Amino acid sequence: MEATAVNEMFNTLGIKEKNPSLHTGTESWFASGVPYHPIHSAADGSLLGSIQFADHDQYEMAIETSQKAFEIWREVPAPQRGEIVRQIGEALRKHKDELGALVTMEMGKIFQEGLGEVQEMIDICDFAVGLSRQLYGLTMQSERKHHRMYEQWHPLGTVGIISAFNFPVAVWAWNAMIAAVCGNVSLWKPSEKTPLTAVACMNIISGVLKENKLPEGVFSMIAGGPDIGQKMSADKRVPLISATGSTRMGKAVAESVSKRLGKSLLELGGNNAIIVSRHANLQLAIPAILFGAVGTCGQRCTSTRRVIIDQEIYDSFKETVVNAYNSLSSRIGNPMDADTLIGPLIDKDAVAAMQATLAEVKEEGGVILAGGDVLEGEGFGTGTYVKPAVVEAQNDFASVQKETFAPILYLIPYSNLDEAISIQNAVPQGLSSAIFTENMKESEYFLSHLGSDCGIANVNIGTSGAEIGGAFGGEKETGGGRESGSDAWRAYMRRQTNTINWSDELPLAQGIKFDI
């Protein structure tokens, strides 16, 4: 984007000018003498702005602001909370293009994906509005005469949200909007790599809250590094921590939260596989694999990292995939360009991790069939643009067993469906999975208890691209949490069982006699 367009976009989103010293939330949270951190665009390396990371005093101010807001927000009836979320969704619709462009500039995903991420926020607002009238409990039959038993759900308080750079705003919205209609307030620590989109979201939401005479602390954010996440995880005043990121980070969060007997909702790493049967429609499978593997430059938790192929079609399939990858070289570039399909990795550390993994897999006996190069020259001066790699490998390679957040796709043959499913499940992670087959028995077997062990299992669509209506999350080292749709709202509330005695007697459960 031209400089004037960038400045106009920043102004629209409430960021005063390009290269500002940004403030988030209330000005009084920020103290003199605390350093500012520069934020550079993943797309072209330009300085987008600078932001002050919170210190201990600012963190305490944020927590206190959230707690005071909760006292007000929990008294608002749930359908009225839904109305506020509806207005937030409308405000996001109004700013979809600008916010999508900022996602692209800051994180590096192509503009269409940036727009898609904002659409996810809008969709979850719509979902949460309906949910605000459906926070159901149950009525149960009491064993005691003239007693009524039921359960109800109450808000928790401050929900801490720790989000990752790859989806700088959407995953926050999944948590924050559902938490809000449940009666909670939220405190958001965005990735230190992508805080400007968080600032923009807070500015958009701030207008809605002011119009409705509600405290800004209903939704708040605090910028900072891992130390802020550690504070939140250890803080008894934050009853639930929802954390998205690496398995390593999630284990640290889980340990800290469990020490204080708090609740954690974890959405961590994925090592997602697609099984391609001899009965597959390759006209569907190939595009799904390409998008799953190279979309967001392989930086989705649901990115396709392994393709497990029936050995009967393996050689011809491999040739097709390699040719497709070679054709993608001309579609790598600035993510704001309409013709670009693959933008950059987030930073040079991600590039180094990719190169280290490729070297490791070669040492283990893998063969790089295409890509893997770091691009140089005009348009690639940031050193973060790479050619997606296709590698022949074995599933038990150490390099294949780990999640490398980069566009590396491993091709692995199989001889029968049981072997394919065994290969797919034989990794520590358990997020997303898929099979391409026109054979009904294969698809049903894959979806049965004998099949995929992942939280998401798809037939004839890829591993990447979840709809907000379904609960999102996975098993094993993916953390076990569920966000977004279905009954995921229960994670943001506390369950209470109530028994009402409307008789003139006091019978005890289990027929116990305690006569006085």
Side-chain angles (χ1 to χ4, degrees):
M1 296 177 71
E2 297 294 333
T4 53
V6 173
N7 287 334
E8 183 178 346
M9 176 190 71
F10 272 49
N11 289 334
T12 301
L13 295 173
I15 301 172
K16 296 179 181 178
E17 60 183 40
K18 192 170 183 286
N19 303 337
S21 292
L22 292 168
H23 291 266
T24 60
T26 306
E27 291 287 332
S28 62
W29 290 11
F30 294 87
S32 60
V34 177
Y36 284 83
H37 294 257
I39 305 300
H40 294 91
S41 170
D44 60 14
S46 63
L47 179 66
L48 293 176
S50 58
I51 190 166
Q52 193 178 51
F53 283 6
D55 61 12
H56 174 77
D57 291 341
Q58 294 155 6
Y59 173 79
E60 287 298 316
M61 183 74 76
I63 288 290
E64 290 172 11
T65 300
S66 290
Q67 289 185 306
K68 290 178 181 177
F70 176 59
E71 294 176 3
I72 297 170
W73 183 246
R74 66 184 176 183
E75 292 295 314
V76 178
Q80 292 182 28
R81 298 194 294 256
E83 167 58 18
I84 301 304
V85 171
R86 185 195 68 80
Q87 293 178 33
I88 291 171
E90 290 303 309
L92 290 170
R93 282 182 172 91
K94 180 180 177 182
H95 295 294
K96 179 178 176 178
D97 287 352
E98 296 89 353
L99 189 54
L102 182 55
V103 168
T104 291
M105 292 179 63
E106 189 173 30
M107 185 268 152
K109 62 178 63 177
I110 63 173
F111 185 44
Q112 280 298 309
E113 291 189 57
L115 293 174
E117 181 162 355
V118 181
Q119 187 61 48
E120 278 196 64
M121 302 172 73
I122 295 167
D123 291 345
I124 201 65
C125 286
D126 290 346
F127 181 91
V129 171
L131 180 64
S132 68
R133 294 179 181 270
Q134 301 179 73
L135 301 174
Y136 300 135
L138 296 173
T139 297
M140 295 152 296
Q141 298 301 312
S142 174
E143 66 186 55
R144 289 171 283 186
K145 185 179 179 181
H146 296 163
H147 282 59
R148 181 163 69 89
M149 260 190 2
Y150 70 97
E151 67 178 24
Q152 60 181 332
W153 296 81
H154 298 294
L156 293 171
T158 297
V159 172
I161 303 170
I162 302 172
S163 64
F165 74 86
N166 60 326
F167 279 85
V169 290
V171 174
W172 161 75
W174 288 2
N175 286 275
M177 298 307 148
I178 292 182
V181 298
C182 290
N184 303 293
V185 299
S186 58
L187 177 60
W188 178 20
K189 192 206 87 66
S191 168
E192 58 268 33
K193 298 179 181 180
T194 54
L196 300 193
T197 45
V199 174
C201 287
M202 290 296 103
N203 288 337
I204 291 169
I205 287 175
S206 177
V208 174
L209 296 176
K210 287 179 180 177
E211 288 177 6
N212 289 275
K213 297 180 173 56
L214 290 166
E216 289 193 5
V218 173
F219 299 94
S220 55
M221 65 151 284
I222 187 164
D227 60 311
I228 294 297
Q230 291 164 4
K231 282 181 180 293
M232 290 172 65
S233 299
D235 197 331
K236 291 182 178 180
R237 296 168 294 181
V238 185
L240 171 66
I241 295 290
S242 177
T244 303
S246 68
T247 297
R248 177 186 56 78
M249 179 276 286
K251 287 180 177 179
V253 169
E255 180 179 2
S256 184
V257 174
S258 65
K259 282 182 178 179
R260 60 178 175 88
L261 299 181
K263 296 182 178 182
S264 58
L265 194 167
L266 304 175
E267 198 282 285
L268 310 175
N271 197 344
N272 315 296
I274 294 178
I275 296 172
V276 180
S277 163
R278 70 184 69 182
H279 305 295
N281 180 344
L282 297 185
Q283 299 301 312
L284 297 179
I286 296 298
I289 290 166
L290 290 179
F291 175 71
V294 307
T296 323
C297 202
Q299 296 172 114
R300 291 179 176 228
C301 51
T302 55
S303 289
T304 305
R305 310 214 179 274
R306 298 173 294 143
V307 182
I308 305 164
I309 309 121
D310 190 317
Q311 62 185 16
E312 184 174 297
I313 63 170
Y314 180 81
D315 289 336
S316 61
F317 181 88
K318 175 176 70 173
E319 182 180 0
T320 300
V321 169
V322 169
N323 289 338
Y325 263 64
N326 288 333
S327 71
L328 289 173
S329 296
S330 62
R331 309 296 296 275
I332 304 169
N334 190 311
M336 287 301 298
D337 292 344
D339 291 335
T340 297
L341 292 180
I342 305 166
L345 288 170
I346 186 65
D347 54 29
K348 290 183 179 180
D349 288 342
V351 175
M354 177 181 179
Q355 298 307 305
T357 297
L358 290 174
E360 182 181 3
V361 74
K362 286 173 66 177
E363 289 180 2
E364 293 177 291
V367 178
I368 298 176
L369 302 173
D373 308 312
V374 181
L375 296 174
E376 300 175 347
E378 186 176 354
F380 305 123
T382 58
T384 55
Y385 288 84
V386 298
K387 287 185 179 181
V390 181
V391 181
E392 273 190 313
Q394 295 180 22
N395 198 65
D396 59 358
F397 286 176
S399 52
V400 177
Q401 288 286 306
K402 66 183 180 181
E403 179 191 43
T404 301
F405 228 49
I408 303 174
L409 182 68
Y410 301 108
L411 304 185
I412 304 166
Y414 75 87
S415 58
N416 58 66
L417 187 58
D418 281 326
E419 182 188 15
I421 292 173
S422 177
I423 291 170
Q424 182 210 270
N425 293 345
V427 292
Q429 311 84 359
L431 179 52
S432 187
S433 59
I435 187 171
F436 277 83
T437 181
E438 301 285 282
N439 183 303
M440 183 184 72
K441 288 185 177 180
E442 287 187 333
S443 64
E444 290 295 330
Y445 190 80
F446 175 77
L447 297 176
S448 76
H449 65 282
L450 302 172
S452 171
D453 67 357
C454 295
I456 300 168
N458 298 328
V459 175
N460 293 329
I461 60 172
T463 61
S464 190
E467 297 183 32
I468 57 92
F472 181 88
E475 301 301 321
K476 301 187 293 188
E477 288 194 358
T478 301
R482 293 298 186 273
E483 299 169 319
S484 188
S486 185
D487 65 349
W489 61 270
R490 293 169 184 254
Y492 305 92
M493 304 195 82
R494 60 180 177 87
R495 187 198 305 248
Q496 185 181 77
T497 300
N498 306 111
T499 306
I500 299 172
N501 177 5
W502 54 278
S503 74
D504 295 324
E505 299 178 352
L506 190 66
L508 300 177
Q510 293 83 49
I512 295 172
K513 300 296 183 182
F514 192 75
D515 296 328
I516 299 177

